[in-house]
Amino acid sequence: MLTWLNRVWLLFLVVVLAVGGWLGYADWQQIHHQYGTNLLAMAAAVADGTHLFLNDAHNSMLMLGNEVDREGVNHPITTREALEKYLVLEHNFAAIGVRSWQGSPVAAGADKGLLDALLSPSGRGVQPLLKINTEQHRILDRCWHSPGFCMGPPIQTTSMHTREGAAWMVPLFLQTQILDHGVSKPLRMVVLLPLQNGQLPFWAALPLPQHGSIFLLRNGGVLESRYPPPTKTSFGIRQNGIAAQSIFAHQGAQSDVYYGLATVVNQWRLGAWYRVAGYPLVAGAGLPRSVLVADWWNRMTGPLAAILTLLLLSAVGYLTVRRMARERIQEKAAAESLLWEAKERAEVTLHSIGDAVVTTDVSGRVTSINPVAESLMGYSRTEMLGKPLDTVFKIVREGDHAPAVNPVQRVLQEGKIIGLANHTILITAQGEERAIEDSAAPIRARDGTLLGVVLVFHDVTEKRQLTADLAYQATHDLLTGLPNRALFLDRLQQAVRAVTRQETLLLVGILDLDGFKQVNDRLGHDMGDILLREVARRTREALRTVDTIARLGGDEFGLVLPEIHHMEGAQHLANCLLQAIAEPMLLDGNSVTISGSLGFTVIPWDDGDQRSVLRHADMALYAAKNGGRNQYQFYEKTMDTQQEQLMEEITMTQEALEEQRLIMYYQPVVSTNDGPTPGQGVAPCQGVIGFEALIRMVHPQRGILAPAAFANALDHPRLARRIGCFVLDAVLTQGEQWHRDGLPLRMSMNISARHLLDPEFLNDMRAALAAHPDLAPEMCEIEVTETAPMLDFPTAQETLRACNNLGLRIALDDFGTGSASLSYLQKLPAQTIKVDQSFVRDILNDPRDFAIVAGVTTTANMLGLEVVAEGVETIGHLQLLKTLDCHAMQGYLFSKPMPAGEVPGWVKSFNILNYDNELPAPPPPTTNAWGSDGYNN
């Protein structure tokens, strides 16, 4: 019996233990599932909150970028005020900074040193400033090169401290585009989002369970944030715990529940994660195993007590079972309470998000709405609840205002997520129109039964307006409102296609304003902008509706003139444009008159590609500029040849300069007086006043070349200053050597117009004089043609006065060949007038040339200026010039230009008495020499 009783007891014990083990396992699975579901809901709430937070941050940074663009990114004070205002509005951020393509960074808020480093090109300066790991640097590098919005890794900064130690900042990057004079330029923005005790600001409102944690990982496993902060690792480090392993194992999944060892706190945990829509982030929540074990132990107290009771006293089984039933009811009530609390928290979260949310039942009637939906739709909650959605949610297409398909009805019919149609407009209760975007999704029961639909949408009216504005700015010049270069090239391409189908001409032109720089310099850039807008208005009015004028940059405009039936029409249009520009305009109380130069090419006669057509128009413009400006020129094929010749001259001259094959020849300037001539200041050296330095080129095949062979290159922008500096150094070096050798000769140097008007000319002159201290500045003379100052008279006048202040003499070369009058001599600080050889050569025969030379000489002598006659080739020239009281001469009669090595010997052998043989001067030419064709007839 004992055996039977033992067996029965053992069997009873086995059954009880089995039942106890089964109950324990079942409760553990239930607890695991229940907590896993709650954690997954929590993770989804964190993910949605993160998505909305980052979207709001992105939009606010875009709006700030637009404000900075409007007020001028290159104005630091205005930009800093905008940033500080932004921080007041966006209190979640600790600091913000912006940097343009050429400006220095502008920052507001805390830790500006970190902002400066993050705003530097490619993050230069971050590595020395902070100790960041490879993963942080990789993520930062991606953000530095991202063209849009990017969330960076957390960075520990020592400039700010919390109770836990050094503060952690999460940088948010945004690189957008702004326009600068019609050109798209990059603008980088960075805001610093502080981690408060390891959490993002909006996490504080989440219903976090006791002993629980929430975290944010990047898709690559790098820890972005966690509350509470990690104890066994740190932010910004790639994790390899159970959460990271679950994310890596489910790359295509939206969410997952996991259980295992968490390395951040070195404990076993149950957790869940949910991907953040639109961002490479994963939000998660977790609980330590001890919480589950404690709950499980609480649940198993009854069954364990029952088992012990059954083993000790079966009589108490009824009481034990009844107690177990009571505990089960209490546990169910507690679970229902927890579920209600979770639902309440979810509803609070729903009402706090920035999107409008409307839910309906299966018949399409409104069951719930959030305050944002009430605000956008214009109806109150009581007005919408229970009503068909179609009666309160009225949407139309943006273009034609035709009714749009209701996405809720499509979801009810198709049972899947449906997005709103593009360019959808919501008509509010008050009749206002608001552009909206987003989607509708089905709500299903656990068995898949459709319960209703949730509609989520938000207002994008400002976003669409901004997009339209940006599209306009991308194709138009902001200053003048004219098409910019991009739109000009597009219209040119269209016009070229059209002209091939028509029997008409297409004119492609480039217009450049003459004298615009002088207006800018004299009246300021603000007045220059007003002038450009006025020119744009006049040219638009002067052209036809089919014509296009675009601003290509600065004061240069492009023209596309289609449907030209004959060249007379083209010439008429060109004249209308030039006349419109030449009309005086009033700027800040000043009457300003400018002109324009036009270059045209004609299609289909010009059958080149787009690039060639514009190049040909530019050549024609160059010809119009050289022809005297305020005119138009049409492209001719000979211009290509002239351009090629110019490029050959430039290349040949540049090579000669680099290979030191440019040399200086010297031609003497002599005096027929024993004492100083007017304006000369010092007595000549044995009749020699000085030498004019003349440039020559040593060509490998052609020998010594005169300047005429490469004259166009001497004043070209690429070479003018370099050649000018070479001439200054070479001539002053030679003059210094001659002075040391006992030859006190004046050194005259020819200065090109471009070098004279270069902002660095005076610095070049000062440097050259400083490098040759043994040559007094008074023994140096710079020669400029009389036409050079006319290009920019105020600048030339100021520069020449500065040269006088340095002790240098000024000579006006080739006087009489330009358009300057004798009053010109009173305005320029010149000490010498060099009469051009074209007048001197024929004074023996031409009474007009004689009169010009006599007039210039007399006027210059009266003003106390030295007069040098160029082109003196015969004794007759010398004798006649002496009668005009012109005693300084230069020409082949005395010497051709010679190398520097021949100068000392020539000076020693020269004697002016050899040329002055006391012969009577030839009589001045008279009109009789012209015979019956003279001017008196």
Side-chain angles (χ1 to χ4, degrees):
M1 175 135 183
L2 287 175
T3 303
W4 179 83
L5 184 60
N6 289 335
R7 289 178 180 175
V8 172
W9 174 247
L10 290 175
L11 179 62
F12 176 75
L13 182 61
V14 170
V15 171
V16 171
L17 293 176
V19 171
W22 177 81
L23 288 175
Y25 176 77
D27 272 0
W28 179 258
Q29 291 297 321
Q30 183 180 3
I31 289 171
H32 190 283
H33 176 73
Q34 179 181 342
Y35 278 91
T37 302
N38 291 340
L39 290 172
L40 187 59
M42 176 65 67
V46 174
D48 291 342
T50 303
H51 171 77
L52 295 173
F53 180 81
L54 292 179
N55 280 355
D56 289 344
H58 183 191
N59 292 333
S60 68
M61 290 174 73
L62 281 176
M63 288 188 288
L64 176 62
N66 292 335
E67 181 178 353
V68 172
D69 184 16
R70 288 192 303 271
E71 297 185 0
V73 74
N74 292 319
H75 297 82
I77 295 177
T78 304
T79 302
R80 186 172 292 106
E81 290 176 354
L83 299 185
E84 293 172 349
K85 179 180 178 183
Y86 178 81
L87 288 180
V88 172
L89 297 177
E90 298 290 339
H91 56 81
N92 288 328
F93 299 135
I96 182 168
V98 298
R99 185 188 185 110
S100 67
W101 71 99
Q102 65 179 358
S104 59
V106 180
D111 208 342
K112 296 182 181 179
L114 175 58
L115 277 176
D116 290 343
L118 293 173
L119 286 168
S120 62
S122 301
R124 290 193 299 268
V126 172
Q127 204 93 24
L129 181 64
L130 301 171
K131 294 181 179 180
I132 60 175
N133 58 42
T134 305
E135 290 295 331
Q136 289 173 300
H137 192 276
R138 178 180 60 81
I139 297 171
L140 284 175
D141 187 69
R142 183 182 304 163
C143 287
W144 287 323
H145 293 88
S146 172
F149 182 80
C150 180
M151 181 177 185
I155 297 174
Q156 190 174 29
T157 173
T158 58
S159 63
M160 293 179 62
H161 288 77
T162 64
R163 289 178 297 176
E164 295 74 27
W168 287 89
M169 296 286 183
V170 176
L172 303 181
F173 294 81
L174 177 64
Q175 181 162 315
T176 183
Q177 298 291 319
I178 65 174
L179 288 179
D180 181 55
H181 298 290
V183 180
S184 181
K185 300 290 185 179
L187 175 69
R188 173 174 292 177
M189 305 175 62
V190 178
V191 298
L192 297 183
L193 177 64
L195 295 182
Q196 303 292 341
N197 200 22
Q199 61 180 337
L200 297 178
F202 71 91
W203 286 7
L206 295 176
L208 181 64
Q210 188 177 10
H211 304 299
S213 65
I214 54 178
F215 61 86
L216 197 62
L217 286 174
R218 302 189 80 90
N219 286 347
V222 175
L223 182 60
E224 193 76 19
S225 59
R226 186 184 190 274
Y227 175 78
T231 58
K232 302 299 181 181
T233 183
S234 182
F235 298 116
I237 296 178
R238 181 183 176 92
Q239 306 299 312
N240 56 5
I242 186 62
Q245 294 174 17
S246 174
I247 294 172
F248 297 154
H250 301 84
Q251 295 289 342
Q254 180 65 23
S255 61
D256 189 35
V257 179
Y258 61 87
Y259 178 75
L261 179 64
T263 58
V264 293
V265 290
N266 196 27
Q267 63 178 202
W268 285 77
R269 300 178 72 85
L270 173 68
W273 57 264
Y274 199 95
R275 296 191 185 276
V276 179
Y279 297 93
L281 301 171
V282 177
L287 285 172
R289 181 173 59 181
S290 60
V291 174
L292 277 69
V293 171
D295 196 4
W296 177 81
W297 179 257
N298 289 335
R299 295 191 185 195
M300 286 301 296
T301 302
L304 288 176
I307 293 172
L308 292 175
T309 303
L310 285 174
L311 294 174
L312 297 175
L313 186 62
S314 59
V316 297
Y318 171 73
L319 298 175
T320 303
V321 172
R322 188 175 64 178
R323 182 174 60 82
M324 290 175 59
R326 188 182 298 116
E327 290 177 355
R328 292 283 184 156
I329 292 173
Q330 292 174 352
E331 290 173 0
K332 182 178 180 181
E336 289 178 350
S337 178
L338 290 174
L339 182 61
W340 182 87
E341 290 178 3
K343 178 182 178 183
E344 186 68 15
R345 291 185 180 113
E347 288 183 356
V348 171
T349 302
L350 180 65
H351 282 66
S352 65
I353 64 176
D355 282 8
V357 180
V358 179
T359 61
T360 71
D361 57 19
V362 292
S363 61
R365 294 183 177 273
V366 177
T367 58
S368 69
I369 60 171
N370 70 347
V372 178
E374 293 182 63
S375 175
L376 285 182
M377 299 169 68
Y379 295 97
S380 67
R381 182 182 183 86
T382 56
E383 289 176 321
M384 286 190 284
L385 288 178
K387 291 186 178 181
L389 183 64
D390 289 341
T391 63
V392 293
F393 186 69
K394 301 174 183 178
I395 53 176
V396 296
R397 293 199 298 260
E398 185 175 40
D400 54 9
H401 281 62
V405 178
N406 193 314
V408 172
Q409 295 298 330
R410 289 191 58 189
V411 172
L412 293 173
Q413 295 170 3
E414 303 176 19
K416 62 181 182 180
I417 298 176
I418 300 296
L420 292 179
N422 290 333
H423 305 292
T424 301
I425 298 296
L426 170 66
I427 308 297
T428 68
Q430 293 74 30
E432 299 177 357
E433 295 185 359
R434 295 180 177 175
I436 58 173
E437 285 182 355
D438 235 319
S439 61
I443 304 173
R444 297 187 183 276
R446 288 188 176 182
D447 60 358
T449 304
L450 187 63
L451 301 177
V453 179
V454 57
L455 174 65
V456 182
F457 58 95
H458 57 276
D459 190 349
V460 294
T461 305
E462 293 183 0
K463 174 184 172 183
R464 289 189 185 171
Q465 183 60 45
L466 176 61
T467 302
D469 293 343
L470 291 175
Y472 177 84
Q473 294 173 9
T475 57
H476 288 77
D477 174 54
L478 296 182
L479 177 64
T480 62
L482 296 176
N484 61 12
R485 180 179 289 273
L487 185 56
F488 169 76
L489 295 176
D490 179 69
R491 290 189 179 177
L492 173 58
Q493 187 177 29
Q494 296 178 21
V496 170
R497 291 174 182 170
V499 79
T500 57
R501 301 189 299 267
Q502 305 171 356
E503 294 184 358
T504 58
L505 303 177
L506 168 64
L507 261 66
V508 180
I510 297 179
L511 165 66
D512 188 82
L513 302 183
D514 306 325
F516 177 73
K517 180 180 182 301
Q518 287 78 357
V519 174
N520 259 350
D521 294 342
R522 184 161 58 94
L523 301 180
H525 289 276
D526 291 341
M527 293 300 103
D529 291 345
I530 295 175
L531 184 146
L532 289 175
R533 286 194 289 268
E534 177 63 16
V535 168
R537 183 191 67 80
R538 292 183 181 185
T539 52
R540 276 196 301 256
E541 293 177 353
L543 294 174
R544 305 164 300 170
T545 56
V546 296
D547 299 329
T548 295
I549 179 167
R551 186 182 179 209
L552 304 182
D555 61 341
E556 188 175 79
F557 300 83
L559 295 163
V560 177
L561 310 179
E563 301 180 14
I564 302 296
H565 297 281
H566 45 73
M567 288 304 295
E568 289 78 5
Q571 294 168 354
H572 174 72
L573 272 177
N575 286 322
C576 288
L577 282 170
L578 295 180
Q579 291 172 5
I581 295 170
E583 288 292 327
M585 61 185 74
L586 194 64
L587 299 178
D588 195 24
N590 298 287
S591 179
V592 175
T593 302
I594 63 170
S595 62
S597 297
L598 270 168
F600 285 111
T601 186
V602 183
I603 298 175
W605 300 339
D606 187 343
D607 56 358
D609 57 15
Q610 189 179 77
R611 194 174 188 179
S612 299
V613 166
L614 292 177
R615 183 170 60 85
H616 293 161
D618 197 56
M619 287 182 185
L621 171 65
Y622 185 76
K625 288 278 190 183
N626 286 345
R629 307 187 180 192
N630 193 25
Q631 61 178 268
Y632 61 86
Q633 291 287 341
F634 288 92
Y635 166 74
E636 298 176 358
K637 290 186 177 180
T638 56
M639 294 179 182
D640 274 325
T641 304
Q642 295 171 356
Q643 184 69 13
E644 290 175 1
Q645 291 175 350
L646 174 61
M647 294 310 297
E648 289 177 1
E649 285 187 24
I650 293 173
T651 301
M652 177 180 68
T653 306
Q654 184 171 347
E655 290 176 353
L657 180 62
E658 293 171 352
E659 297 172 4
Q660 298 182 356
R661 291 190 285 103
L662 292 181
I663 60 175
M664 303 306 298
Y665 270 41
Y666 299 88
Q667 187 175 31
V669 178
V670 303
S671 174
T672 61
N673 271 357
D674 294 334
T677 60
Q680 185 177 320
V682 295
C685 178
Q686 298 182 357
V688 181
I689 298 173
F691 281 83
E692 178 183 1
L694 302 168
I695 196 167
R696 297 289 188 268
M697 179 190 296
V698 180
H699 195 276
Q701 288 80 35
R702 298 159 60 185
I704 303 296
L705 300 182
F710 53 98
N712 292 328
L714 294 176
D715 200 34
H716 193 272
R718 280 168 46 185
L719 296 176
R721 185 184 175 203
R722 292 177 60 191
I723 293 176
C725 291
F726 161 77
V727 169
L728 290 177
D729 181 68
V731 175
L732 295 185
T733 299
Q734 186 61 65
E736 189 176 44
Q737 182 61 47
W738 284 339
H739 276 244
R740 290 172 183 167
D741 294 341
L743 295 177
L745 300 170
R746 183 203 297 169
M747 306 301 294
S748 297
M749 301 160 283
N750 289 282
I751 302 299
S752 69
R754 193 174 300 276
H755 193 198
L756 176 70
L757 300 177
D758 192 294
E760 293 298 318
F761 172 73
L762 286 176
N763 291 333
D764 295 340
M765 194 74 243
R766 293 188 185 101
L769 292 173
H772 303 87
D774 291 342
L775 182 63
E778 293 77 10
M779 298 303 295
C780 301
E781 183 176 67
I782 60 172
E783 296 188 13
V784 295
T785 61
E786 67 165 348
T787 57
M790 297 294 288
L791 300 177
D792 186 353
F793 190 82
T795 300
Q797 187 180 42
E798 182 180 352
T799 301
L800 293 177
R801 283 175 179 167
C803 289
N804 272 169
N805 293 335
L806 292 175
L808 298 170
R809 294 176 58 86
I810 308 298
L812 291 183
D813 197 11
D814 301 336
F815 192 82
T817 58
S819 57
S821 64
L822 290 177
S823 63
Y824 200 58
L825 302 177
Q826 296 177 312
K827 299 177 182 179
L828 288 177
Q831 287 74 47
T832 301
I833 303 298
K834 301 192 74 172
V835 183
D836 188 69
Q837 60 181 337
S838 61
F839 301 110
V840 175
R841 185 181 299 114
D842 292 331
I843 59 173
L844 298 174
N845 305 312
D846 191 335
R848 294 170 301 179
D849 288 345
F850 177 82
I852 291 172
V853 174
V856 171
T857 302
T858 301
T859 303
N861 286 334
M862 292 177 67
L863 294 174
L865 302 179
E866 177 187 49
V867 181
V868 177
E870 297 180 313
V872 178
E873 298 180 352
T874 67
I875 294 295
H877 288 103
L878 182 148
Q879 295 291 345
L880 188 55
L881 287 168
K882 286 182 64 176
T883 64
L884 297 177
D885 204 16
C886 176
H887 299 282
M889 305 178 193
Q890 180 180 352
Y892 281 11
L893 173 64
F894 310 108
S895 174
K896 294 182 178 180
M898 68 187 79
E902 298 179 7
V903 169
W906 183 90
V907 171
K908 292 179 182 179
S909 64
F910 176 76
N911 190 338
I912 191 62
L913 299 178
N914 294 335
Y915 302 89
D916 190 358
N917 54 10
E918 301 298 336
L919 292 176
T926 63
T927 54
N928 293 334
W930 293 87
S932 60
D933 296 326
Y935 281 87
N936 292 332
N937 294 334

